[in-house]
Amino acid sequence: MILAFDTSCDDTSVAFYKDSEVYSNIISSQNDIHAKFGGVIPELAARRHAEVIAYLTEEALNRVNADLRDVNYVAVTVGPGLLPSLLVGVSFAKALAYANDLPIIPVNHIEGHIFAPFFNRRIEYPFLSLVVSGGHTHLFFVKNFGNYQLIGKTLDDAVGEAFDKVARVLGLEYPGGPVIDRLSKSGDPYKFKIPKGLERDGSYNFSFSGVKTHVKNLVKKLGGLSKTQIVDIAASFQKASIDILVEKTIRAAEELNVKTVSVSGGVSANSYLREAFIEASRKYDLKVVLPEREMTTDNALMIAFVAYLDVSRATKDYFKIEADPSLRLI
Ligand code: KG4
Ligand code: ZN
């Protein structure tokens, strides 16, 4: 039985995992704090993590009628992420493990995202894993647990970051992804021609800064935007950025002869992305694995799940567990 923590960025999350039926996943969003700044302020994020983490831990245990005596392992995200944020979760997890004489399992946040779609499902190796969030746009070839090859990544902005920046240019709220997703449903995705980044370079890499700049210039040229123009730009931007993700991932699956593709991270909540991947899976006879909505954004259940997949990583050498903002997966 695992008690897990994730405080890598702006959401505080605590989860308890026993088996496929008994688990909890508490996620406390900080959007209220950061919205007015249009982005995450690390020190404010850390302060809120510190305020709520003890209460959320009680809540995660209460939800499944458990208490600390039921816990066998503590798991925690040690990186990558924002240092002040990571420090709160890591310090709390270490203190709790030490005080209760429990082994602790350090987890890489990206590994959490990679396995989130497979929670309560059979893992079929090898698979391609597209991790798309506010901080990451990575395409991994996953041969086995612990055996990852990075075959593509963004050369500049992460796709979620592009959604957030474009939303700001359009005068929409933060975070931009969910708003653009919602507004795009009533927009015309063919109204504005927005170029896709690195479309024909032959690699599996991505680029989103050009798309963002294109929207910025378009908005400047159009002057004051009507409501219709806002939803049409949102839909056209969304189509351009998601289509390239789908195209390159599917091409990689074909070229590497991989039959299973998974998508995770905050942007995998996008409804157009989900539809596009499902459609592509039919067309190319691939299996596409998408996480439950609750497991798309940062959460501690995915961290508990990775810990569960390999408990041999557990240690009681507490002083060796340290937050590492630029922790690498490979
Ligand atoms: O995984 P996540 O919660 O945190 C990071 O590790 O970054 O991802 C947050 C990102 C934000 O950029 C947000 O705008 C984006 O995911 N996002 C979406 C949607 N929901 C969240 N992007 C597009 N469509 C959505 N529905
Ligand atoms: Zn994340």
Side-chain angles (χ1 to χ4, degrees):
M1 286 178 265
I2 301 171
L3 182 63
F5 301 90
D6 184 282
T7 62
S8 56
C9 188
D10 62 335
D11 289 330
T12 322
S13 184
V14 186
F16 179 83
Y17 177 76
K18 180 174 176 237
D19 55 38
S20 59
E21 273 163 30
V22 181
Y23 59 87
S24 61
N25 191 20
I26 314 285
I27 305 166
S28 171
S29 158
Q30 297 187 358
N31 287 346
D32 58 323
I33 305 180
H34 307 289
K36 57 177 171 292
F37 302 105
V40 179
I41 309 293
E43 282 71 22
L44 295 182
R47 205 174 300 168
R48 175 64 75 85
H49 287 315
E51 279 164 15
V52 302
I53 195 164
Y55 168 74
L56 298 183
T57 304
E58 271 178 40
E59 186 65 22
L61 291 167
N62 286 345
R63 288 256 174 112
V64 288
N65 288 322
D67 63 38
L68 279 176
R69 282 167 304 189
D70 297 312
V71 177
N72 305 120
Y73 296 95
V74 172
V76 65
T77 297
V78 288
L82 303 170
L83 182 61
S85 291
L86 289 166
L87 280 172
V88 177
V90 171
S91 311
F92 190 83
K94 273 162 79 170
L96 190 125
Y98 179 69
N100 292 279
D101 195 26
L102 292 168
I104 188 164
I105 303 175
V107 177
N108 183 307
H109 181 79
I110 303 299
E111 205 172 18
H113 278 307
I114 291 177
F115 287 96
F118 295 96
F119 181 73
N120 272 353
R121 291 188 180 131
R122 210 162 66 84
I123 306 175
E124 288 169 39
Y125 298 106
F127 64 88
L128 285 188
S129 171
L130 178 69
V131 180
V132 276
S133 72
H136 305 277
T137 306
H138 287 346
L139 184 59
F140 293 102
F141 180 40
V142 180
K143 291 187 193 141
N144 221 316
F145 186 76
N147 188 343
Y148 316 115
Q149 194 185 339
L150 181 65
I151 60 167
K153 65 176 191 330
T154 180
L155 302 182
D156 38 61
D157 293 353
V159 61
E161 196 181 346
F163 269 82
D164 295 337
K165 286 179 178 168
V166 163
R168 188 154 22 153
V169 170
L170 294 176
L172 307 169
E173 77 226 38
Y174 173 88
V179 205
I180 290 184
D181 188 350
R182 183 165 39 83
L183 293 184
S184 295
K185 294 198 169 106
S186 48
D188 174 2
Y190 298 96
K191 184 78 190 180
F192 297 97
K193 178 112 193 67
I194 300 197
K196 298 178 207 167
L198 298 183
E199 194 179 5
R200 276 179 265 276
D201 71 332
S203 80
Y204 305 131
N205 290 329
F206 305 100
S207 166
F208 293 99
S209 69
V211 189
K212 177 195 68 190
T213 310
H214 187 92
V215 173
K216 220 186 243 174
N217 293 338
L218 179 65
V219 169
K220 214 185 269 169
K221 201 174 87 195
L222 292 171
L225 297 178
S226 70
K227 226 173 161 185
T228 316
Q229 281 173 324
I230 291 177
V231 294
D232 288 346
I233 295 174
S236 306
F237 157 75
Q238 175 175 271
K239 183 170 165 51
S241 24
I242 301 297
D243 281 353
I244 192 78
L245 289 173
V246 180
E247 284 164 23
K248 288 211 168 183
T249 306
I250 299 298
R251 182 164 62 78
E254 296 248 287
E255 289 175 358
L256 299 168
N257 197 21
V258 179
K259 298 287 172 221
T260 303
V261 168
S262 71
V263 193
S264 59
V267 182
S268 69
N270 185 273
S271 19
Y272 175 68
L273 176 145
R274 295 174 86 96
E275 278 165 27
F277 266 106
I278 290 168
E279 205 182 302
S281 74
R282 292 203 190 102
K283 194 165 162 197
Y284 296 94
D285 197 21
L286 292 169
K287 184 166 179 189
V288 168
V289 188
L290 299 165
E292 300 288 330
R293 297 255 170 186
E294 194 189 41
M295 295 278 269
T296 57
T297 55
D298 292 348
N299 69 90
L301 189 56
M302 69 186 191
I303 302 305
F305 185 52
V306 166
Y308 159 79
L309 291 174
D310 184 11
V311 290
S312 76
R313 293 174 178 181
T315 175
K316 279 193 176 178
D317 205 347
Y318 304 111
F319 293 101
K320 284 230 173 91
I321 308 285
E322 278 188 65
D324 180 354
S326 43
L327 181 70
R328 295 177 64 93
L329 185 62
I330 31 180

